[in-house]
Amino acid sequence: MSHVTVRYKRKIVNTMTRDEAMRSLSASISKLAEGDGPCYEIRDVNSATKQLLTATFMDMNVDLIDKKNGAKKNCNVQIWSQPWLEEGVQVSFECPNEERVVVTHDA
């Protein structure tokens, strides 16, 4: 089983399995697909970090498949989660040769 390092303010305090990282991203991708957001499938998680402050911030490099056209792409994805707020999860996708996409959804 592969692991992804989780970092809190420059200190390594825990490790997260690849499956845990995929579950975190899958939850957001599913919510976004229900609305006007991009429609992706996760192909793989290459790296991920997590910071716990007053909210949770996740920074991932992932391989995605665009469900609309089947295109495979390597993207940087950031998730900022403040679940106590309405529309408290912000997800940004930065993929090569594409404009940055930022969308929000509820927790």
Side-chain angles (χ1 to χ4, degrees):
M1 180 180 303
S2 63
H3 286 76
V4 177
T5 301
V6 181
R7 297 180 183 271
Y8 293 88
K9 291 191 172 187
R10 298 186 198 115
K11 287 174 128 180
I12 299 173
V13 295
N14 198 358
T15 58
M16 178 191 290
T17 66
R18 178 181 166 277
D19 290 340
E20 290 171 315
M22 289 186 78
R23 274 195 303 274
S24 295
L25 181 55
S26 290
S28 282
I29 285 178
S30 294
K31 287 271 188 181
L32 299 175
E34 294 171 5
D36 294 332
C39 189
Y40 290 126
E41 174 183 332
I42 303 169
R43 184 170 166 223
D44 202 3
V45 174
N46 302 311
S47 66
T49 59
K50 181 177 181 178
Q51 295 178 16
L52 183 61
L53 306 165
T54 55
T56 302
F57 175 75
M58 290 178 266
D59 189 18
M60 303 179 190
N61 176 268
V62 297
D63 293 330
L64 298 174
I65 299 170
D66 189 324
K67 287 187 172 183
K68 294 177 185 173
N69 61 18
K72 296 175 186 173
K73 47 182 101 177
N74 178 267
C75 303
N76 292 316
V77 178
Q78 296 176 331
I79 302 173
W80 183 253
S81 178
Q82 300 174 72
W84 60 91
L85 297 175
E86 185 176 327
E87 297 291 307
V89 179
Q90 176 180 297
V91 185
S92 68
F93 296 88
E94 294 183 46
C95 303
N97 304 317
E98 295 182 11
E99 297 225 0
R100 183 173 184 230
V101 175
V102 179
V103 288
T104 59
H105 64 80
D106 61 341

